[in-house]
Amino acid sequence: MSSGGFASQNGAGGPYSNGPSQSPVGVFSSNQGFMAPPQPGYINTVPSKGPPQPQSHPIMHRSTPPLFQPLANSVNHAPPVMNVMAPPLPPPAAVRGTPPLPPPAHSDGVFPARPGQMPRPLTSSYPSLQPAYQSASSAQTPPPAQTQLYTPPPAQTQLYSQTPPPAQTQLYPQMQTAPAQTQLYSQTPPPAQTQLYPQTQLYPQTQTASAQTQLYPQTQTASAQTQLYPQTQTASAQTQLYPQTQTQLYSQPSAAQLSPSLASLSLQSQPPESLRVVNLLQERSLLPPGSVPPPVPCLPHDLQKMNCSPEVFRCTLTSIPQTQALLNKAKLPLGLLLHPFKDLSQLPVVTSSNIVRCRSCRTYINPFVTFVDARRWKCNLCHRVNDVPEEFMYNPVSRSYGAPHKRPEVQNATIEFIAPSEYMLRPPQPAAYLFLLDVSHNALETGYLDVVCQTLLDNLDSLPGDARTKIGFITFDSTIHFYNLQEGLSQPQMLVVSDIDDVFLPTPDSLLVNLSECKELVQDLLASLPQMFSRTMETQSALGPALQAAFKLLSPTGGRMSVFQTQLPTVGIGSLKPREEPSQKANAKDVQHLSPATDFYKKLALDCSGHHVAVDLFLLSAQYSDLSSLGCISRYSAGSVYFYPSYHKQHNPPQTERLQKDLKRYLTRKIGFEAVMRIRCTKGLSIHTFHGNFFVRSTDLLSLANVNPDAGFAVQMSIEENLLDLQTVSFQAALLYTSSKGERRIRVHTLCLPVVSSLSDIFAGADVQAITALLASMAVDRCVTASLSDARDALINAAIDTLASYRSSVLTVPQPGLLTPACLRLLPLYILALLKHKAFRAISGRLDERVFSMCQLKQQPLAFLLMMVHPGLYRVDQLTDEGALNINDRTIPQPRAQQLSVEKLSRDAAFLMDCGTVMYLWLGRNCSPEFLTQVLGVDGYADVPLNMIQLPELDTAQSSRLRAFIDWLRERRPFHAVLHVIRDESPLKAEFMQNMIEDLSESALSYYEFLLHLQQQISK
């Protein structure tokens, strides 16, 4: 399920691409003047693995391809699909389906200054994305003659580790910790400063494979199998680039000390708990009591305690195979999941005139580099030896000189730099916010305008920014209305442009105004807007021309465009026609119109991205609005999509509550402007597909017009060269952005993982949640490039191939049953949960809701995505303080998570189901009258209102415990979860039951039947 087909269109790497936080990062008192940062081919089609499937169980139907399968060594082949290859069998006789085209090579150029232009070459200037270095060639020149290059033999390769100061050991506390604090290390360099680095590009192009080399070579696969994972031809053993010398390592553990530690990475001698064999047909209680913990990489303690937090940076495999052939044999996907701008309660911030980076690959110095001696360090990505700048010898924390390995940059895997002037080509842009509001008759009927204007009024002073912050408003129906908010006017002036075929700005200088200077006019406008159009009978919507006007207004500076739309655009450029056919029964094979109807919104999004404008779409509609097309405006401009189906202020109070809470978070969360993110990895590894909301600037560079703390990204990777001489590999994500206070900042995350040579070690380090999230993104791509049934089959084959590989290649003693390592025991359950998720259900439903679910799978960070895929179910009528958490003088009960099956429900109990954006409190018919009285304030079961969405604040122990638990669950996510209290007669009971993943449903088998199906396929 590669997104290569989208890369070829300069897109976001996938059809549905990418994402508030409770505690902003604080600043120490010594930090006056500085702002604390606010955060292969997929499915080929192959003959069916399974027998003919009964009509009642569409999941059994198998005639499709795998999710990640590699290409052969051929040139210009389209990548196959997301495939989890089974043991080698003869190639299939026939392959059906049309796999996506391979992504073309991207230049590392910058965006055009004019709309519609293609990217310019790197030499052309572009504001504030790259430092003013002279040329890329300097990055490729050899180091000065006096620089001694050093590469120890494999047995002597040392990894630097240093125990951080006690005060810095806890870098990533939970979100519920005390108020955030940011450490700022003001640099006081010694008088003499030596410029050791030649001027180079901020983001030099990395060495990549030949343009003709396919990313996903096809290999032999079982004829009855849909393949999900790519296999690539591995290169020969790496050529040694630097001569070996006898330089003694500086302040490092000796080879004799470190080698035994790394030798312990082999898990063969004493299998860990993650490799315990589990028979899924016999063990039913697989869920842990609480959340599923991420696997811990098998690294020496000194390295592991400095590693990047899994909440920020996570790999599907915490043990990296030495070769692509070994990865192919494991049938597991290799990829990264990132939450780069996440709100952190502690974030070290460094200000320095010289940010230390590798002269060759431009990697930022990090905890996993090796200090050759007191004056030289070895890059952990390209292995080049670099000089230590003189000013780096001074440690601003200890105020000592001569210990560069103790500086904060080498003690923290996540760190933020305040960038010097060479990281910008223009002054940092001001925070600019433009609101685009639908004021047609349909929009006014929903009542959304009152909610939006009032919420904005309440949070106007909390918008991120400084004295330069700008704001503007545009409303539209069949015409476009601008608002002159120039200082000195007694009231706002509305200017109407009725020629939507040739949109222009009537008064360009007074439509986007300084917020602090014109606040009273802005407040007057927000107070009067809802009444201004209350009597309108205009039903048309000119969204396309309004977006063009907004782009013209924001493009000189960049900023954020917030669009509120309530219907299908009907007039002007970008108008759409209804494509949903409610009379046609949708099924697994013929869900149509998942791709956009026009490329207008995508092209405009690319123009916006080139001018640092991100577009966030709020769709509030009771009818089909073609989110497949409208969503492109956010997907390719690094914006976000919010969807409120059947929104109405009076008739649907839960959606109104959700809009209010979401909008408050949206307006007040931190934001980064004119951002780019580059992901680097150790030589031998390569990136081939991205998932999220962005524009792909080059092979490893993403353009993010805006970046927000709720956005997640995923990356698929392959092994291009053997890693035989390496004991660890590293990944580094660097996010360069402008803060709302006008500072240019760089946030750097570095992750270190061991390299292993055995399949058992690979399986022992598999991260089942990260694997599930990556497969979900790949499956979304496959739905658009092929079909929904192909995507469903590929997901099933992912589980089949992985478990078959484990059984045939890792298990030494054949055993009956469906066997899996303990670390992957939840994989079949998560795959089944995806098959029953709204994005992939093989039953009819509203097309916009399916498309929005796909958007969520592509843009949500891992933790939030899993809430939506596999809800949590808790019994809450017997909450106690046993095992409870104590946070800020609050006692939070911790009930055990239950299996999602009706058999776990009890008629005399109450259960809470947490589905991410919605919660259900289900009451059994014989639920205790004491619980009903003390928690809901009613006398009996029949007295519970059918539309109850809030719990009363009663002064009882049971009420306090349940409300504390629900509040705690809500605090752990950036979006608001609406609560529905339901009983047997409630209309929402059907939705509640649809989330019982382990039970038989209209769209898929029960969990036990699914396990039997997997066993049957593996046994063939």
Side-chain angles (χ1 to χ4, degrees):
M1 152 188 336
S2 164
S3 51
F6 287 92
S8 64
Q9 308 166 28
N10 289 328
Y16 295 102
S17 322
N18 191 67
S21 54
Q22 303 303 327
S23 54
V25 182
V27 188
F28 285 146
S29 57
S30 59
N31 188 18
Q32 284 100 2
F34 293 106
M35 179 202 91
Q39 158 233 196
Y42 167 34
I43 311 179
N44 251 351
T45 308
V46 201
S48 168
K49 282 189 182 180
Q53 177 172 319
Q55 292 183 355
S56 60
H57 303 318
I59 192 176
M60 300 281 294
H61 179 70
R62 308 269 320 139
S63 60
T64 334
L67 275 178
F68 41 114
Q69 146 185 344
L71 294 178
N73 218 6
S74 58
V75 186
N76 291 333
H77 282 314
V81 212
M82 225 170 57
N83 161 24
V84 190
M85 274 143 295
L89 291 176
V95 177
R96 71 172 179 85
T98 305
L101 296 174
H106 288 275
S107 70
D108 202 5
V110 296
F111 287 124
R114 294 194 298 266
Q117 275 191 302
M118 296 304 293
R120 294 197 295 250
L122 185 60
T123 53
S124 51
S125 62
Y126 197 67
S128 73
L129 290 178
Q130 305 184 53
Y133 292 120
Q134 291 178 347
S135 68
S137 60
S138 58
Q140 306 296 331
T141 55
Q146 66 271 22
T147 302
Q148 186 175 7
L149 299 179
Y150 170 73
T151 300
Q156 298 178 356
T157 301
Q158 303 298 316
L159 293 174
Y160 170 72
S161 62
Q162 176 68 33
T163 304
Q168 300 178 18
T169 54
Q170 187 178 2
L171 293 181
Y172 308 100
Q174 297 296 322
M175 294 177 63
Q176 300 80 21
T177 54
Q181 290 186 341
T182 301
Q183 291 176 276
L184 182 87
Y185 303 107
S186 295
Q187 173 81 19
T188 308
Q193 297 186 7
T194 306
Q195 180 72 26
L196 297 180
Y197 296 147
Q199 291 183 332
T200 58
Q201 298 180 35
L202 170 60
Y203 297 107
Q205 294 185 357
T206 55
Q207 297 289 337
T208 58
S210 170
Q212 287 82 19
T213 303
Q214 294 292 325
L215 292 177
Y216 316 106
Q218 289 183 332
T219 57
Q220 292 184 350
T221 59
S223 60
Q225 187 168 358
T226 297
Q227 303 227 347
L228 295 187
Y229 299 114
Q231 295 176 343
T232 55
Q233 296 289 336
T234 55
S236 58
Q238 297 182 27
T239 305
Q240 189 170 359
L241 299 179
Y242 300 104
Q244 297 182 1
T245 64
Q246 299 301 320
T247 308
Q248 184 177 0
L249 297 181
Y250 170 71
S251 296
Q252 304 291 319
S254 67
Q257 292 172 326
L258 191 55
S259 295
S261 299
L262 292 176
S264 67
L265 298 181
S266 177
L267 308 176
Q268 303 280 356
S269 56
Q270 188 175 4
E273 167 62 21
S274 59
L275 281 182
R276 176 178 60 85
V277 179
V278 175
N279 187 343
L280 295 178
L281 295 176
Q282 294 180 353
E283 294 196 28
R284 293 296 307 278
S285 299
L286 300 175
L287 293 175
S291 59
V292 179
V296 179
C298 191
L299 290 169
H301 179 67
D302 286 346
L303 292 182
Q304 181 52 40
K305 67 183 180 182
M306 289 191 293
N307 222 348
C308 195
S309 166
E311 295 180 357
V312 174
F313 213 161
R314 201 155 163 179
C315 186
T316 56
L317 304 177
T318 56
S319 297
I320 305 300
Q322 283 186 338
T323 65
Q324 181 68 35
L326 191 60
L327 175 62
N328 295 339
K329 192 173 181 181
K331 313 296 190 299
L332 290 167
L334 177 60
L336 302 171
L337 285 94
L338 296 88
H339 192 176
F341 206 51
K342 174 181 169 60
D343 287 323
L344 301 174
S345 56
Q346 288 188 355
L347 177 66
V349 178
V350 174
T351 178
S352 174
S353 60
N354 184 10
I355 298 176
V356 179
R357 303 173 66 182
C358 175
R359 294 180 61 189
S360 177
C361 69
R362 306 302 292 157
T363 294
Y364 294 83
I365 196 167
N366 60 81
F368 310 108
V369 303
T370 304
F371 280 87
V372 178
D373 53 37
R375 295 288 180 175
R376 291 180 300 164
W377 62 277
K378 182 178 178 182
C379 177
N380 54 319
L381 267 63
C382 72
H383 314 301
R384 171 169 183 154
V385 175
N386 298 270
D387 294 333
V388 176
E390 182 66 27
E391 67 182 77
F392 199 75
M393 301 296 292
Y394 175 78
N395 186 352
V397 180
S398 62
R399 298 184 179 181
S400 60
Y401 186 86
H405 59 286
K406 294 184 178 181
R407 280 186 56 105
E409 297 95 320
V410 193
Q411 293 294 314
N412 299 281
T414 291
I415 196 165
E416 185 151 291
F417 300 94
I418 297 178
S421 58
E422 61 261 29
Y423 285 83
M424 58 191 81
L425 293 178
R426 70 170 186 179
Q429 72 168 71
Y433 306 106
L434 180 60
F435 295 89
L436 201 58
L437 304 167
D438 180 1
V439 292
S440 64
H441 177 72
N442 181 72
L444 272 296
E445 279 293 305
T446 67
Y448 95 91
L449 195 57
D450 299 90
V451 176
V452 170
C453 291
Q454 187 58 51
T455 306
L456 190 51
L457 268 174
D458 295 341
N459 296 279
L460 205 55
D461 294 332
S462 301
L463 287 175
D466 54 14
R468 303 182 303 155
T469 301
K470 294 185 176 183
I471 194 169
F473 298 87
I474 295 176
T475 58
F476 64 96
D477 41 34
S478 61
T479 58
I480 303 173
H481 322 121
F482 298 91
Y483 295 90
N484 184 352
L485 301 171
Q486 189 172 19
E487 187 180 11
L489 294 176
S490 59
Q491 64 181 14
Q493 292 180 347
M494 183 171 73
L495 309 170
V496 180
V497 174
S498 56
D499 185 2
I500 60 175
D501 295 326
D502 185 17
V503 177
F504 64 94
L505 302 180
T507 55
D509 298 332
S510 60
L511 303 179
L512 194 67
V513 298
N514 185 286
L515 176 58
S516 60
E517 296 174 358
C518 306
K519 181 178 291 187
E520 290 186 3
L521 285 175
V522 171
Q523 292 171 334
D524 290 345
L525 176 62
L526 290 173
S528 60
L529 263 180
Q531 289 73 37
M532 196 180 299
F533 297 94
S534 59
R535 298 183 181 274
T536 182
M537 297 305 294
E538 180 60 65
T539 59
Q540 302 293 330
S541 171
L543 175 63
L547 287 170
Q548 289 180 323
F551 169 68
K552 289 183 178 181
L553 187 56
L554 267 182
S555 57
T557 58
R560 184 178 73 189
M561 190 190 308
S562 305
V563 180
F564 295 83
Q565 174 73 3
T566 64
Q567 61 177 315
L568 201 67
T570 54
V571 294
I573 190 169
S575 61
L576 300 168
K577 296 181 179 180
R579 298 192 292 165
E580 188 177 41
E581 301 175 6
S583 59
Q584 180 180 356
K585 178 73 173 179
N587 59 46
K589 293 186 176 180
D590 61 5
V591 175
Q592 303 297 322
H593 311 307
L594 292 175
S595 54
T598 174
D599 62 356
F600 166 76
Y601 295 98
K602 177 179 178 179
K603 288 180 177 178
L604 182 58
L606 298 182
D607 291 339
C608 288
S609 179
H611 290 80
H612 310 300
V613 176
V615 184
D616 296 322
L617 176 64
F618 291 78
L619 186 59
L620 313 99
S621 177
Q623 299 179 357
Y624 174 69
S625 300
D626 200 350
L627 187 55
S628 301
S629 301
L630 297 183
C632 293
I633 191 67
S634 298
R635 188 178 317 139
Y636 299 105
S637 67
S640 303
V641 176
Y642 298 82
F643 181 48
Y644 304 87
S646 303
Y647 180 88
H648 196 281
K649 183 179 178 181
Q650 275 79 36
H651 301 162
N652 198 341
Q655 292 286 30
T656 301
E657 178 189 355
R658 183 171 153 236
L659 174 62
Q660 288 174 324
K661 298 295 179 68
D662 287 353
L663 190 55
K664 179 180 179 180
R665 161 69 180 173
Y666 170 79
L667 294 172
T668 59
R669 69 187 180 189
K670 66 183 179 185
I671 184 173
F673 297 99
E674 48 186 355
V676 289
M677 180 169 69
R678 185 180 290 278
I679 303 174
R680 297 179 173 87
C681 50
T682 295
K683 178 177 169 58
L685 298 171
S686 67
I687 298 168
H688 60 73
T689 305
F690 296 91
H691 302 278
N693 284 8
F694 44 73
F695 174 83
V696 181
R697 180 87 62 84
S698 67
T699 54
D700 59 352
L701 183 67
L702 305 181
S703 174
L704 307 171
N706 290 174
V707 61
N708 69 76
D710 307 331
F713 304 89
V715 176
Q716 290 173 240
M717 307 193 70
S718 60
I719 303 173
E720 285 193 339
E721 299 178 14
N722 293 344
L723 307 174
L724 302 177
D725 296 332
L726 301 178
Q727 292 175 316
T728 62
V729 293
S730 296
F731 309 90
Q732 187 174 88
L735 177 68
L736 173 65
Y737 71 96
T738 298
S739 74
S740 59
K741 302 292 186 184
E743 288 180 324
R744 203 70 173 137
R745 290 185 169 223
I746 310 168
R747 186 173 297 192
V748 179
H749 309 284
T750 310
L751 175 67
C752 180
L753 297 174
V755 176
V756 298
S757 59
S758 70
L759 276 175
S760 60
D761 290 356
I762 298 173
F763 276 95
D767 186 335
V768 66
Q769 292 188 321
I771 289 172
T772 302
L774 185 60
L775 290 179
S777 290
M778 296 165 74
V780 170
D781 286 355
R782 185 55 185 167
C783 284
V784 178
T785 58
S787 69
L788 176 62
S789 60
D790 284 355
R792 289 170 56 85
D793 287 346
L795 286 170
I796 298 171
N797 286 339
I800 293 173
D801 293 340
T802 297
L803 298 184
S805 173
Y806 171 75
R807 187 182 187 96
S808 62
S809 303
V810 177
L811 287 180
T812 55
V813 180
Q815 303 177 42
L818 183 60
L819 307 178
T820 177
C823 62
L824 290 177
R825 67 191 184 278
L826 295 177
L827 181 62
L829 179 61
Y830 285 159
I831 294 295
L832 183 61
L834 283 175
L835 294 172
K836 296 187 178 186
H837 189 266
K838 193 172 293 186
F840 304 116
R841 286 177 188 165
I843 57 175
S844 60
R846 292 186 58 182
L847 184 57
D848 281 343
E849 292 187 18
R850 186 187 293 270
V851 171
F852 177 67
S853 296
M854 292 180 174
C855 291
Q856 293 289 86
L857 292 178
K858 295 277 285 186
Q859 70 184 29
Q860 286 291 348
L862 175 61
F864 310 142
L865 181 149
L866 288 172
M867 294 179 189
M868 303 173 184
V869 171
H870 187 273
L873 182 65
Y874 312 93
R875 181 167 180 171
V876 294
D877 62 312
Q878 297 178 344
L879 294 178
T880 67
D881 292 341
E882 182 178 354
L885 299 177
N886 292 301
I887 302 174
N888 297 335
D889 298 327
R890 291 188 305 160
T891 301
I892 315 295
Q894 296 294 293
R896 182 182 180 89
Q898 305 289 326
Q899 294 171 239
L900 291 170
S901 174
V902 173
E903 69 178 27
K904 293 298 179 182
L905 300 180
S906 172
R907 295 176 67 87
D908 57 358
F911 289 83
L912 180 72
M913 179 184 285
D914 180 8
C915 304
T917 57
V918 63
M919 294 181 181
Y920 300 98
L921 178 59
W922 180 85
L923 305 174
R925 182 171 293 276
N926 300 327
C927 186
S928 164
E930 180 184 2
F931 176 82
L932 297 176
T933 302
Q934 295 191 9
V935 174
L936 303 179
V938 297
D939 296 330
Y941 183 81
D943 298 324
V944 178
L946 290 178
N947 57 351
M948 191 173 188
I949 61 172
Q950 288 184 341
L951 296 182
E953 295 187 13
L954 303 179
D955 189 16
T956 63
Q958 288 201 57
S959 175
S960 299
R961 290 192 185 104
L962 181 54
R963 286 186 289 107
F965 180 56
I966 292 175
D967 290 344
W968 176 73
L969 290 175
R970 283 173 166 168
E971 290 168 0
R972 301 171 68 198
R973 69 204 66 189
F975 40 81
H976 181 68
V978 176
L979 175 68
H980 294 281
V981 180
I982 60 175
R983 51 191 177 99
D984 283 346
E985 298 82 5
S986 299
L988 293 176
K989 182 183 177 182
E991 291 187 17
F992 173 78
M993 290 301 176
Q994 276 186 332
N995 291 300
M996 292 298 181
I997 291 167
E998 300 192 22
D999 295 334
L1000 181 66
S1001 70
E1002 182 183 352
S1003 64
L1005 304 174
S1006 69
Y1007 177 57
Y1008 188 73
E1009 290 172 326
F1010 184 59
L1011 294 179
L1012 292 177
H1013 176 66
L1014 297 182
Q1015 184 187 33
Q1016 180 186 21
Q1017 298 301 317
I1018 292 171
S1019 301
K1020 284 186 176 181

